[in-house]
Amino acid sequence: MSHAVANAELIYSDLATEADLAELVDVFVGEIPQRLAKMQDYAGTQDWEGLRRLAHQLKGAAGSYGFAEVTPFAARLENALRESQPEEIILMQLNDLLDICSRLRSGLPV
């Protein structure tokens, strides 16, 4: 597990202070559990292309919603899938992505 994932701090959007974007960030964060569940489903059925597509989508979306920290994790998973790396590498990259995404929060830190 990478050092960044082991650090359990919550991650807030860089856009959290933008009042007109706060609702969009909230919707994005609210959809994360469903996205992650779908990724786990794809991994469980070894639908590597479906998983690659979702990793690619999350890579772009996370950055767009102010969660730049997620982008490299999604990119590593996408690259592992594109390169047909061994399943253990793919699953390790997926777990790292799931870990960091579980720390995403909307709103401002208290």
Side-chain angles (χ1 to χ4, degrees):
M1 186 179 299
S2 74
H3 175 70
V5 173
N7 180 354
E9 291 182 22
L10 298 179
I11 300 171
Y12 292 87
S13 172
D14 292 340
L15 305 176
T17 58
E18 304 284 333
D20 54 337
L21 299 176
E23 186 176 331
L24 293 174
V25 171
D26 194 40
V27 169
F28 175 76
V29 170
E31 291 173 348
I32 287 292
Q34 294 89 338
R35 285 182 189 242
L36 300 182
K38 188 67 174 169
M39 293 178 105
Q40 289 175 307
D41 288 347
Y42 280 148
T45 60
Q46 297 184 333
D47 182 347
W48 304 127
E49 179 55 24
L51 183 56
R52 187 202 61 76
R53 278 193 318 272
L54 287 180
H56 177 79
Q57 291 168 2
L58 185 57
K59 179 179 73 174
S64 297
Y65 288 100
F67 294 104
E69 299 91 337
V70 173
T71 302
F73 289 90
R76 283 195 288 273
L77 175 58
E78 181 186 14
N79 291 337
L81 290 157
R82 187 181 304 113
E83 297 166 2
S84 299
Q85 292 188 8
E87 184 175 348
E88 66 215 32
I89 300 295
I90 291 169
L91 295 178
M92 182 181 70
Q93 299 298 342
L94 175 59
N95 284 333
D96 284 351
L97 180 59
L98 296 174
D99 285 345
I100 195 164
C101 286
S102 72
R103 296 169 33 211
L104 301 183
R105 297 295 183 270
S106 59
L108 295 168
V110 269

